[in-house]
Amino acid sequence: RAAQPGEQIRMRVYADDTLSKPERAALLQRPIIDSQEIMQRVQPIVDAVRANGDVAVRDFTARFDHVTLDALVIRAPFDVPVLPAPVRAAIDQAYDNIYAFHAAQLADDTHVETMPGVTCSRFSRAIERVGLYVPGGTAVLPSTALMLGVPAQVAGCREIVLATPPRKDGSIVPEVLYVAHKIGATAVIKAGGAQAVAALAYGTETVPKVDKICGPGNQYVTAAKMLAQNDTAAMISIDMPAGPSELLVIADATSNPAYVASDLLSQAEHGPDSQVVLLAVDLSDTQLAAIEAEVHRQAERLPRVDVVRHSIPKSFCLRLPSLSAALRFSNAYAPEHLILHNANARACLSDVDNAGSVFVGSYSPESCGDYASGTNHTLPTYGFSRMYSGVSTATFLKHITAQELTRDGLANIAQTVMTLAEVEELEAHRNAVAIRMMDM
Ligand code: NAD
Protein backbone atom coordinates (compact mmCIF):
# COMPACT_ATOMS: atom_id res chain seq x y z
CA ARG A 1 0.00 0.00 0.00
CA ALA A 2 1.29 3.45 -0.89
CA ALA A 3 2.17 5.78 1.99
CA GLN A 4 -0.34 8.58 2.41
CA PRO A 5 0.80 12.21 2.81
CA GLY A 6 1.83 12.70 6.43
CA GLU A 7 2.41 8.98 6.94
CA GLN A 8 5.97 7.64 7.42
CA ILE A 9 7.51 6.54 4.10
CA ARG A 10 9.17 3.26 5.03
CA MET A 11 10.27 -0.04 3.58
CA ARG A 12 8.99 -3.39 4.78
CA VAL A 13 11.54 -5.00 7.14
CA TYR A 14 12.31 -8.73 7.34
CA ALA A 15 14.83 -10.69 9.39
CA ASP A 16 16.71 -13.42 7.56
CA ASP A 17 16.67 -15.81 10.54
CA THR A 18 12.86 -15.80 10.78
CA LEU A 19 12.13 -16.13 7.05
CA SER A 20 10.69 -19.39 5.75
CA LYS A 21 12.08 -20.77 2.48
CA PRO A 22 9.00 -19.67 0.47
CA GLU A 23 9.17 -16.19 2.05
CA ARG A 24 12.82 -15.85 1.08
CA ALA A 25 12.06 -17.08 -2.45
CA ALA A 26 9.26 -14.50 -2.70
CA LEU A 27 11.67 -11.69 -1.78
CA LEU A 28 14.00 -12.77 -4.58
CA GLN A 29 11.17 -12.57 -7.14
CA ARG A 30 10.30 -9.50 -9.18
CA PRO A 31 6.69 -8.44 -9.62
CA ILE A 32 5.11 -10.61 -12.32
CA ILE A 33 4.64 -8.72 -15.57
CA ASP A 34 1.71 -9.95 -17.66
CA SER A 35 3.72 -10.06 -20.88
CA GLN A 36 0.96 -11.92 -22.76
CA GLU A 37 -1.46 -9.06 -22.31
CA ILE A 38 1.12 -6.43 -23.35
CA MET A 39 2.15 -8.49 -26.39
CA GLN A 40 -1.49 -8.65 -27.50
CA ARG A 41 -1.73 -4.87 -27.31
CA VAL A 42 1.59 -4.27 -29.06
CA GLN A 43 1.35 -6.81 -31.91
CA PRO A 44 -1.32 -4.79 -33.80
CA ILE A 45 0.85 -1.65 -33.50
CA VAL A 46 3.86 -3.50 -34.93
CA ASP A 47 1.73 -5.04 -37.70
CA ALA A 48 0.23 -1.67 -38.65
CA VAL A 49 3.64 0.00 -38.91
CA ARG A 50 4.94 -2.86 -40.97
CA ALA A 51 1.98 -2.64 -43.35
CA ASN A 52 1.43 1.12 -43.52
CA GLY A 53 4.81 2.65 -42.66
CA ASP A 54 4.97 6.37 -41.93
CA VAL A 55 1.19 6.84 -41.90
CA ALA A 56 0.85 4.32 -39.08
CA VAL A 57 3.73 5.82 -37.10
CA ARG A 58 2.10 9.26 -37.39
CA ASP A 59 -1.31 7.89 -36.36
CA PHE A 60 0.04 6.19 -33.24
CA THR A 61 2.06 9.27 -32.35
CA ALA A 62 -1.12 11.35 -32.56
CA ARG A 63 -3.01 8.79 -30.46
CA PHE A 64 -0.47 8.06 -27.72
CA ASP A 65 1.73 11.17 -27.67
CA HIS A 66 -0.93 13.68 -28.79
CA VAL A 67 1.45 15.15 -31.34
CA THR A 68 0.73 15.74 -35.03
CA LEU A 69 3.90 15.42 -37.06
CA ASP A 70 4.84 16.45 -40.56
CA ALA A 71 8.26 14.89 -41.08
CA LEU A 72 9.13 11.92 -38.88
CA VAL A 73 12.83 11.98 -39.55
CA ILE A 74 15.51 14.62 -39.05
CA ARG A 75 18.68 13.76 -40.94
CA ALA A 76 22.23 14.83 -40.10
CA PRO A 77 23.69 17.40 -40.17
CA PHE A 78 21.41 18.67 -37.41
CA ASP A 79 20.82 22.26 -36.38
CA VAL A 80 22.83 21.93 -33.19
CA PRO A 81 20.86 23.61 -30.42
CA VAL A 82 22.51 26.20 -28.21
CA LEU A 83 22.44 24.88 -24.65
CA PRO A 84 23.15 26.77 -21.44
CA ALA A 85 26.94 26.65 -20.91
CA PRO A 86 26.84 24.54 -17.70
CA VAL A 87 24.57 21.95 -19.36
CA ARG A 88 26.78 21.77 -22.42
CA ALA A 89 29.90 21.42 -20.24
CA ALA A 90 28.27 18.64 -18.21
CA ILE A 91 27.26 16.71 -21.34
CA ASP A 92 30.76 17.21 -22.79
CA GLN A 93 32.42 15.93 -19.60
CA ALA A 94 30.10 12.91 -19.40
CA TYR A 95 30.73 12.21 -23.11
CA ASP A 96 34.52 12.29 -22.60
CA ASN A 97 34.40 9.90 -19.62
CA ILE A 98 32.00 7.47 -21.29
CA TYR A 99 34.07 7.63 -24.47
CA ALA A 100 37.33 6.88 -22.61
CA PHE A 101 35.86 3.86 -20.81
CA HIS A 102 34.21 2.43 -23.91
CA ALA A 103 37.19 3.06 -26.21
CA ALA A 104 39.31 1.00 -23.80
CA GLN A 105 36.92 -1.91 -24.40
CA LEU A 106 37.97 -2.25 -28.04
CA ALA A 107 39.95 -5.46 -27.81
CA ASP A 108 42.88 -6.40 -30.03
CA ASP A 109 42.37 -9.16 -32.60
CA THR A 110 43.17 -12.70 -31.43
CA HIS A 111 45.65 -14.95 -33.27
CA VAL A 112 46.37 -18.46 -32.00
CA GLU A 113 48.40 -21.22 -33.65
CA THR A 114 46.44 -24.17 -32.29
CA MET A 115 48.74 -26.75 -33.98
CA PRO A 116 51.87 -26.14 -36.02
CA GLY A 117 50.66 -24.59 -39.29
CA VAL A 118 47.05 -24.13 -38.09
CA THR A 119 46.33 -20.50 -37.29
CA CYS A 120 42.96 -19.29 -35.99
CA SER A 121 42.08 -15.63 -35.63
CA ARG A 122 39.17 -13.53 -34.43
CA PHE A 123 38.48 -9.92 -35.26
CA SER A 124 35.56 -7.57 -34.76
CA ARG A 125 33.47 -5.46 -37.11
CA ALA A 126 30.86 -2.89 -36.25
CA ILE A 127 27.21 -3.75 -36.73
CA GLU A 128 26.45 -1.56 -39.71
CA ARG A 129 23.09 0.01 -38.85
CA VAL A 130 21.87 0.43 -35.27
CA GLY A 131 18.73 1.92 -33.76
CA LEU A 132 19.00 3.58 -30.35
CA TYR A 133 15.80 4.04 -28.37
CA VAL A 134 15.95 7.00 -26.00
CA PRO A 135 12.86 7.01 -23.75
CA GLY A 136 11.06 10.28 -23.46
CA GLY A 137 7.53 9.66 -22.24
CA THR A 138 7.98 11.08 -18.76
CA ALA A 139 11.51 12.52 -18.63
CA VAL A 140 14.25 14.23 -20.63
CA LEU A 141 16.97 11.61 -21.03
CA PRO A 142 20.11 12.87 -22.79
CA SER A 143 22.08 10.51 -20.53
CA THR A 144 20.52 7.48 -22.23
CA ALA A 145 21.40 8.98 -25.62
CA LEU A 146 25.02 9.17 -24.43
CA MET A 147 25.03 5.66 -22.95
CA LEU A 148 23.82 4.13 -26.21
CA GLY A 149 25.39 6.52 -28.68
CA VAL A 150 28.96 6.64 -27.42
CA PRO A 151 29.59 2.87 -27.61
CA ALA A 152 27.94 2.76 -31.06
CA GLN A 153 30.25 5.57 -32.17
CA VAL A 154 33.32 3.92 -30.61
CA ALA A 155 32.42 0.60 -32.29
CA GLY A 156 32.26 2.41 -35.65
CA CYS A 157 28.62 1.79 -36.62
CA ARG A 158 28.06 3.39 -40.02
CA GLU A 159 24.42 4.32 -39.52
CA ILE A 160 23.26 5.38 -36.05
CA VAL A 161 19.53 6.09 -35.92
CA LEU A 162 18.19 7.53 -32.69
CA ALA A 163 14.46 7.35 -31.91
CA THR A 164 12.79 9.33 -29.15
CA PRO A 165 9.24 10.57 -28.48
CA PRO A 166 8.68 14.16 -29.64
CA ARG A 167 7.71 16.95 -27.28
CA LYS A 168 4.21 18.36 -27.42
CA ASP A 169 5.25 20.90 -30.07
CA GLY A 170 6.67 18.12 -32.25
CA SER A 171 10.31 19.01 -31.57
CA ILE A 172 13.12 16.90 -30.10
CA VAL A 173 14.50 17.67 -26.62
CA PRO A 174 17.49 19.98 -27.40
CA GLU A 175 19.86 18.12 -25.04
CA VAL A 176 19.11 14.86 -26.87
CA LEU A 177 19.66 16.53 -30.24
CA TYR A 178 23.00 17.90 -29.02
CA VAL A 179 24.04 14.38 -28.00
CA ALA A 180 22.82 13.01 -31.36
CA HIS A 181 25.18 15.48 -33.01
CA LYS A 182 28.11 14.56 -30.73
CA ILE A 183 27.77 10.81 -31.21
CA GLY A 184 27.53 11.18 -34.99
CA ALA A 185 23.93 9.99 -35.35
CA THR A 186 22.84 9.85 -38.97
CA ALA A 187 19.14 10.41 -38.28
CA VAL A 188 16.74 11.15 -35.43
CA ILE A 189 13.22 9.68 -35.54
CA LYS A 190 10.55 11.75 -33.82
CA ALA A 191 8.57 8.84 -32.45
CA GLY A 192 8.46 6.69 -29.34
CA GLY A 193 6.85 3.52 -28.05
CA ALA A 194 6.18 0.35 -30.03
CA GLN A 195 5.63 2.32 -33.25
CA ALA A 196 9.18 3.70 -33.18
CA VAL A 197 10.67 0.25 -32.52
CA ALA A 198 8.62 -1.28 -35.35
CA ALA A 199 9.70 1.50 -37.74
CA LEU A 200 13.36 0.81 -36.92
CA ALA A 201 12.88 -2.95 -37.22
CA TYR A 202 11.10 -3.00 -40.59
CA GLY A 203 11.94 0.41 -42.02
CA THR A 204 9.34 2.74 -43.51
CA GLU A 205 9.33 5.19 -46.43
CA THR A 206 11.44 7.60 -44.39
CA VAL A 207 12.73 5.63 -41.36
CA PRO A 208 15.84 3.59 -42.18
CA LYS A 209 15.72 -0.09 -41.23
CA VAL A 210 18.42 -1.11 -38.74
CA ASP A 211 20.14 -4.40 -37.81
CA LYS A 212 20.02 -4.06 -34.02
CA ILE A 213 17.82 -2.08 -31.63
CA CYS A 214 19.18 -1.05 -28.23
CA GLY A 215 17.90 0.96 -25.35
CA PRO A 216 15.50 0.95 -22.42
CA GLY A 217 11.87 1.93 -22.50
CA ASN A 218 8.47 1.20 -21.05
CA GLN A 219 6.58 -2.08 -21.42
CA TYR A 220 5.37 -1.23 -24.96
CA VAL A 221 8.91 -0.54 -26.14
CA THR A 222 10.23 -3.76 -24.58
CA ALA A 223 7.39 -5.84 -26.02
CA ALA A 224 7.93 -4.41 -29.52
CA LYS A 225 11.66 -5.18 -29.32
CA MET A 226 10.89 -8.77 -28.35
CA LEU A 227 8.25 -9.22 -31.07
CA ALA A 228 10.55 -7.83 -33.76
CA GLN A 229 13.42 -9.99 -32.56
CA ASN A 230 11.26 -13.09 -32.93
CA ASP A 231 10.19 -12.20 -36.48
CA THR A 232 12.66 -13.41 -39.08
CA ALA A 233 11.15 -10.89 -41.54
CA ALA A 234 12.60 -8.10 -39.39
CA MET A 235 16.03 -9.76 -39.10
CA ILE A 236 17.11 -7.75 -36.11
CA SER A 237 18.67 -8.40 -32.74
CA ILE A 238 18.13 -6.48 -29.51
CA ASP A 239 20.38 -5.65 -26.57
CA MET A 240 18.47 -7.32 -23.75
CA PRO A 241 15.04 -7.69 -22.17
CA ALA A 242 14.28 -4.83 -19.79
CA GLY A 243 12.09 -4.25 -16.77
CA PRO A 244 11.75 -1.54 -14.12
CA SER A 245 15.03 -0.23 -12.73
CA GLU A 246 16.45 -1.75 -9.51
CA LEU A 247 18.96 -1.12 -6.77
CA LEU A 248 20.31 -3.31 -3.99
CA VAL A 249 22.32 -1.66 -1.20
CA ILE A 250 24.45 -3.52 1.34
CA ALA A 251 24.99 -1.50 4.53
CA ASP A 252 26.65 -2.29 7.85
CA ALA A 253 27.31 -0.45 11.11
CA THR A 254 30.02 1.66 9.44
CA SER A 255 27.66 3.04 6.76
CA ASN A 256 26.44 6.63 6.81
CA PRO A 257 22.61 6.46 7.19
CA ALA A 258 22.08 9.68 5.22
CA TYR A 259 24.17 8.42 2.27
CA VAL A 260 22.41 5.04 2.29
CA ALA A 261 18.99 6.70 2.32
CA SER A 262 19.97 9.10 -0.48
CA ASP A 263 20.97 6.18 -2.70
CA LEU A 264 17.78 4.23 -1.96
CA LEU A 265 15.72 7.30 -2.87
CA SER A 266 17.66 8.08 -6.04
CA GLN A 267 16.41 4.75 -7.33
CA ALA A 268 12.94 4.94 -5.80
CA GLU A 269 12.17 8.24 -7.57
CA HIS A 270 12.44 6.61 -11.03
CA GLY A 271 8.89 5.27 -10.93
CA PRO A 272 6.29 3.55 -8.75
CA ASP A 273 7.58 0.16 -9.97
CA SER A 274 11.25 0.80 -9.11
CA GLN A 275 12.73 -1.97 -7.01
CA VAL A 276 14.80 -0.96 -3.99
CA VAL A 277 16.37 -3.47 -1.59
CA LEU A 278 18.42 -2.74 1.54
CA LEU A 279 20.46 -5.55 3.05
CA ALA A 280 21.25 -4.54 6.63
CA VAL A 281 24.26 -6.47 7.89
CA ASP A 282 24.26 -6.93 11.66
CA LEU A 283 22.64 -3.53 12.29
CA SER A 284 21.20 -2.68 15.72
CA ASP A 285 17.59 -1.49 15.92
CA THR A 286 18.90 2.04 16.51
CA GLN A 287 21.15 1.94 13.44
CA LEU A 288 18.33 0.69 11.23
CA ALA A 289 15.97 3.30 12.67
CA ALA A 290 18.51 5.99 11.71
CA ILE A 291 18.40 4.87 8.05
CA GLU A 292 14.58 4.69 8.12
CA ALA A 293 14.37 8.19 9.59
CA GLU A 294 16.69 9.52 6.87
CA VAL A 295 14.63 7.85 4.13
CA HIS A 296 11.49 9.58 5.38
CA ARG A 297 13.18 12.95 6.02
CA GLN A 298 14.85 13.12 2.59
CA ALA A 299 11.83 11.68 0.74
CA GLU A 300 9.52 14.38 2.10
CA ARG A 301 11.73 17.03 0.47
CA LEU A 302 11.76 15.48 -3.00
CA PRO A 303 9.70 16.96 -5.83
CA ARG A 304 8.85 13.36 -6.76
CA VAL A 305 7.70 12.41 -3.26
CA ASP A 306 4.45 11.03 -4.69
CA VAL A 307 6.39 8.48 -6.75
CA VAL A 308 8.48 7.57 -3.72
CA ARG A 309 5.35 7.09 -1.58
CA HIS A 310 4.52 4.20 -3.93
CA SER A 311 7.94 2.69 -4.55
CA ILE A 312 9.44 2.73 -1.02
CA PRO A 313 6.57 0.83 0.68
CA LYS A 314 6.85 -1.80 -2.10
CA SER A 315 10.57 -2.13 -1.37
CA PHE A 316 12.10 -4.09 1.48
CA CYS A 317 14.93 -4.24 3.97
CA LEU A 318 16.34 -7.62 4.94
CA ARG A 319 18.34 -7.89 8.17
CA LEU A 320 21.15 -10.42 7.90
CA PRO A 321 23.77 -11.57 10.42
CA SER A 322 26.84 -11.39 8.17
CA LEU A 323 28.32 -9.86 5.06
CA SER A 324 28.69 -13.27 3.42
CA ALA A 325 24.96 -13.93 3.93
CA ALA A 326 24.21 -10.54 2.34
CA LEU A 327 26.39 -11.27 -0.68
CA ARG A 328 24.74 -14.66 -1.09
CA PHE A 329 21.31 -12.99 -1.11
CA SER A 330 22.52 -10.30 -3.53
CA ASN A 331 23.92 -12.89 -5.94
CA ALA A 332 20.63 -14.80 -5.82
CA TYR A 333 18.66 -11.57 -6.42
CA ALA A 334 21.00 -10.52 -9.29
CA PRO A 335 20.37 -6.76 -9.06
CA GLU A 336 20.76 -4.25 -11.86
CA HIS A 337 22.70 -1.89 -9.56
CA LEU A 338 24.57 -2.98 -6.43
CA ILE A 339 25.97 -0.42 -3.97
CA LEU A 340 28.44 -1.67 -1.37
CA HIS A 341 28.21 0.74 1.58
CA ASN A 342 29.88 -1.75 3.94
CA ALA A 343 33.42 -1.60 5.32
CA ASN A 344 36.17 -2.97 3.03
CA ALA A 345 33.80 -2.72 0.09
CA ARG A 346 36.49 -3.21 -2.55
CA ALA A 347 37.45 -6.60 -1.14
CA CYS A 348 33.84 -7.78 -1.68
CA LEU A 349 34.00 -7.35 -5.46
CA SER A 350 35.55 -10.78 -5.87
CA ASP A 351 32.44 -12.29 -4.24
CA VAL A 352 29.98 -10.51 -6.56
CA ASP A 353 28.76 -13.06 -9.13
CA ASN A 354 25.57 -11.46 -10.44
CA ALA A 355 25.00 -7.69 -10.85
CA GLY A 356 24.68 -5.25 -13.75
CA SER A 357 27.05 -2.66 -12.26
CA VAL A 358 28.66 -2.29 -8.82
CA PHE A 359 29.24 0.94 -6.89
CA VAL A 360 32.08 0.45 -4.45
CA GLY A 361 32.21 2.39 -1.18
CA SER A 362 30.33 5.30 0.31
CA TYR A 363 31.64 7.88 -2.19
CA SER A 364 30.33 6.01 -5.24
CA PRO A 365 26.62 6.86 -5.56
CA GLU A 366 24.69 5.25 -8.40
CA SER A 367 24.02 8.73 -9.80
CA CYS A 368 27.65 8.98 -10.96
CA GLY A 369 27.31 5.83 -13.05
CA ASP A 370 23.87 6.94 -14.24
CA TYR A 371 25.34 10.08 -15.77
CA ALA A 372 29.00 10.63 -16.08
CA SER A 373 31.70 8.47 -14.50
CA GLY A 374 32.15 6.37 -17.65
CA THR A 375 30.36 3.03 -17.07
CA ASN A 376 27.15 2.34 -18.94
CA HIS A 377 23.74 2.78 -17.32
CA THR A 378 21.81 0.53 -19.70
CA LEU A 379 21.90 -2.59 -17.58
CA PRO A 380 20.07 -5.90 -17.19
CA THR A 381 17.10 -5.75 -14.79
CA TYR A 382 14.61 -8.31 -13.47
CA GLY A 383 17.33 -10.82 -12.50
CA PHE A 384 18.74 -10.96 -16.03
CA SER A 385 22.17 -9.93 -14.73
CA ARG A 386 22.57 -13.68 -14.14
CA MET A 387 23.21 -14.13 -17.86
CA TYR A 388 23.21 -10.71 -19.58
CA SER A 389 25.76 -7.89 -19.49
CA GLY A 390 24.97 -4.22 -19.68
CA VAL A 391 25.40 -2.27 -22.90
CA SER A 392 29.06 -1.92 -23.82
CA THR A 393 31.16 -1.40 -26.93
CA ALA A 394 30.76 -5.14 -27.63
CA THR A 395 26.99 -4.61 -27.93
CA PHE A 396 27.65 -2.84 -31.25
CA LEU A 397 30.19 -5.30 -32.60
CA LYS A 398 30.11 -8.80 -33.95
CA HIS A 399 33.12 -11.04 -34.07
CA ILE A 400 34.38 -12.89 -37.11
CA THR A 401 36.75 -15.81 -36.94
CA ALA A 402 39.21 -16.86 -39.64
CA GLN A 403 41.73 -19.65 -40.12
CA GLU A 404 44.67 -20.33 -42.34
CA LEU A 405 46.34 -23.73 -42.63
CA THR A 406 49.68 -24.27 -44.28
CA ARG A 407 50.38 -27.45 -46.23
CA ASP A 408 52.10 -28.87 -43.16
CA GLY A 409 49.26 -27.64 -40.96
CA LEU A 410 46.73 -29.55 -43.03
CA ALA A 411 48.88 -32.67 -42.82
CA ASN A 412 49.06 -32.26 -39.04
CA ILE A 413 45.31 -32.04 -38.52
CA ALA A 414 44.12 -34.27 -41.40
CA GLN A 415 43.66 -37.54 -39.53
CA THR A 416 41.71 -35.89 -36.70
CA VAL A 417 39.28 -34.23 -39.11
CA MET A 418 38.84 -37.33 -41.30
CA THR A 419 38.16 -39.53 -38.27
CA LEU A 420 35.51 -37.17 -36.89
CA ALA A 421 33.90 -36.83 -40.35
CA GLU A 422 33.71 -40.64 -40.51
CA VAL A 423 32.08 -40.79 -37.08
CA GLU A 424 29.45 -38.32 -38.29
CA GLU A 425 29.14 -40.17 -41.61
CA LEU A 426 29.76 -37.04 -43.66
CA GLU A 427 31.85 -38.41 -46.48
CA ALA A 428 32.13 -35.16 -48.44
CA HIS A 429 33.67 -33.56 -45.35
CA ARG A 430 36.24 -36.36 -45.08
CA ASN A 431 36.94 -36.17 -48.80
CA ALA A 432 37.69 -32.43 -48.74
CA VAL A 433 40.73 -33.28 -46.61
CA ALA A 434 41.55 -36.61 -48.24
CA ILE A 435 41.68 -35.15 -51.78
CA ARG A 436 44.39 -32.71 -50.68
CA MET A 437 46.31 -35.36 -48.74
CA MET A 438 46.54 -37.50 -51.88
CA ASP A 439 48.42 -34.64 -53.59
CA MET A 440 50.99 -34.41 -50.79
P1 NAD B 1 9.09 5.62 -23.28
O1 NAD B 1 9.79 6.48 -24.26
O2 NAD B 1 9.63 4.28 -23.02
O3 NAD B 1 7.58 5.41 -23.78
C1 NAD B 1 6.80 6.47 -24.22
C2 NAD B 1 5.97 6.01 -25.41
O4 NAD B 1 5.08 4.98 -25.05
C3 NAD B 1 5.15 7.10 -26.01
O5 NAD B 1 5.88 7.72 -27.02
C4 NAD B 1 3.92 6.39 -26.53
O6 NAD B 1 3.99 6.33 -27.92
C5 NAD B 1 3.96 5.02 -25.94
N1 NAD B 1 2.71 4.77 -25.21
C6 NAD B 1 2.23 5.47 -24.17
N2 NAD B 1 1.03 4.98 -23.80
C7 NAD B 1 0.76 3.94 -24.61
C8 NAD B 1 -0.33 3.01 -24.72
N3 NAD B 1 -1.37 3.06 -23.90
N4 NAD B 1 -0.26 2.06 -25.67
C9 NAD B 1 0.79 1.99 -26.51
N5 NAD B 1 1.83 2.85 -26.46
C10 NAD B 1 1.82 3.82 -25.52
O7 NAD B 1 8.98 6.49 -21.97
P2 NAD B 1 8.39 6.17 -20.53
O8 NAD B 1 7.00 5.66 -20.62
O9 NAD B 1 8.66 7.37 -19.75
O10 NAD B 1 9.27 4.97 -19.98
C11 NAD B 1 10.64 5.05 -19.84
C12 NAD B 1 11.15 3.79 -19.20
O11 NAD B 1 12.54 3.66 -19.43
C13 NAD B 1 10.94 3.75 -17.71
O12 NAD B 1 10.45 2.49 -17.36
C14 NAD B 1 12.34 3.96 -17.16
O13 NAD B 1 12.54 3.35 -15.90
C15 NAD B 1 13.15 3.33 -18.22
N6 NAD B 1 14.53 3.78 -18.25
C16 NAD B 1 15.48 2.85 -18.00
C17 NAD B 1 16.80 3.18 -18.08
C18 NAD B 1 17.84 2.11 -17.86
O14 NAD B 1 18.95 2.28 -18.25
N7 NAD B 1 17.47 0.97 -17.30
C19 NAD B 1 17.18 4.48 -18.38
C20 NAD B 1 16.21 5.39 -18.64
C21 NAD B 1 14.86 5.03 -18.59
Side-chain angles (χ1 to χ4, degrees), residues 63-406:
R63 190 153 120 205
F64 298 130
D65 302 83
H66 313 291
V67 180
T68 311
L69 292 173
D70 298 327
L72 282 178
V73 181
I74 317 173
R75 290 201 169 268
F78 310 113
D79 287 333
V80 184
V82 179
L83 299 178
V87 175
R88 189 183 164 123
I91 292 178
D92 289 350
Q93 179 69 74
Y95 173 91
D96 289 347
N97 292 356
I98 298 163
Y99 196 101
F101 188 63
H102 288 78
Q105 294 167 22
L106 283 169
D108 290 336
D109 297 349
T110 311
H111 291 267
V112 178
E113 193 172 14
T114 55
M115 290 176 85
V118 179
T119 306
C120 298
S121 60
R122 183 178 188 260
F123 53 92
S124 61
R125 290 285 182 270
I127 296 174
E128 205 172 298
R129 307 169 299 178
V130 293
L132 312 180
Y133 187 83
V134 177
T138 52
V140 177
L141 291 167
S143 60
T144 301
L146 282 169
M147 295 295 175
L148 300 170
V150 173
Q153 183 181 34
V154 167
C157 299
R158 195 171 55 76
E159 207 169 330
I160 301 177
V161 185
L162 199 144
T164 193
R167 294 192 293 183
K168 292 289 166 245
D169 64 358
S171 66
I172 293 292
V173 174
E175 293 85 353
V176 171
L177 202 54
Y178 177 64
V179 173
H181 160 72
K182 275 196 82 103
I183 55 116
T186 41
V188 175
I189 314 303
K190 294 199 271 184
Q195 59 273 20
V197 173
L200 291 169
Y202 296 98
T204 68
E205 302 91 311
T206 61
V207 178
K209 186 211 169 339
V210 299
D211 303 310
K212 183 166 187 176
I213 301 177
C214 299
N218 62 18
Q219 52 194 351
Y220 308 108
V221 170
T222 301
K225 281 168 71 182
M226 293 176 87
L227 286 173
Q229 177 187 233
N230 287 337
D231 182 5
T232 45
M235 270 290 278
I236 60 141
S237 67
I238 64 170
D239 47 356
M240 66 189 110
S245 204
E246 314 157 345
L247 167 67
L248 186 146
V249 173
I250 298 182
D252 65 10
T254 68
S255 309
N256 179 325
Y259 294 1
V260 171
S262 71
D263 287 339
L264 295 170
L265 289 167
S266 74
Q267 184 61 46
E269 78 168 354
H270 269 305
D273 296 332
S274 290
Q275 292 289 300
V276 182
V277 178
L278 170 64
L279 300 186
V281 178
D282 201 19
L283 287 193
S284 68
D285 291 348
T286 318
Q287 286 162 334
L288 182 57
I291 296 177
E292 289 181 316
E294 276 294 333
V295 167
H296 180 73
R297 190 181 69 80
Q298 294 181 29
E300 287 279 329
R301 296 179 182 175
L302 294 173
R304 294 172 75 114
V305 61
D306 284 340
V307 173
V308 169
R309 282 197 180 105
H310 282 87
S311 49
I312 287 287
K314 279 194 220 153
S315 305
F316 67 91
C317 165
L318 180 61
R319 304 180 73 169
L320 299 118
S322 67
L323 184 57
S324 55
L327 286 163
R328 265 199 309 281
F329 186 92
S330 174
N331 282 330
Y333 184 82
E336 179 190 18
H337 305 98
L338 167 63
I339 306 188
L340 300 173
H341 266 285
N342 51 288
N344 301 322
R346 198 186 306 151
C348 293
L349 268 185
S350 55
D351 293 319
V352 174
D353 295 327
N354 299 320
S357 196
V358 188
F359 299 78
V360 184
S362 56
Y363 293 109
S364 311
E366 187 201 310
S367 316
C368 292
D370 284 346
Y371 289 112
S373 52
T375 61
N376 209 288
H377 82 195
T378 311
L379 298 166
T381 55
Y382 213 69
F384 279 109
S385 67
R386 272 185 209 89
M387 69 299 268
Y388 278 91
S389 315
V391 164
S392 68
T393 304
T395 304
F396 297 97
L397 298 169
K398 71 256 175 181
H399 294 91
I400 303 173
T401 58
Q403 61 200 279
E404 184 170 353
L405 282 71
T406 61

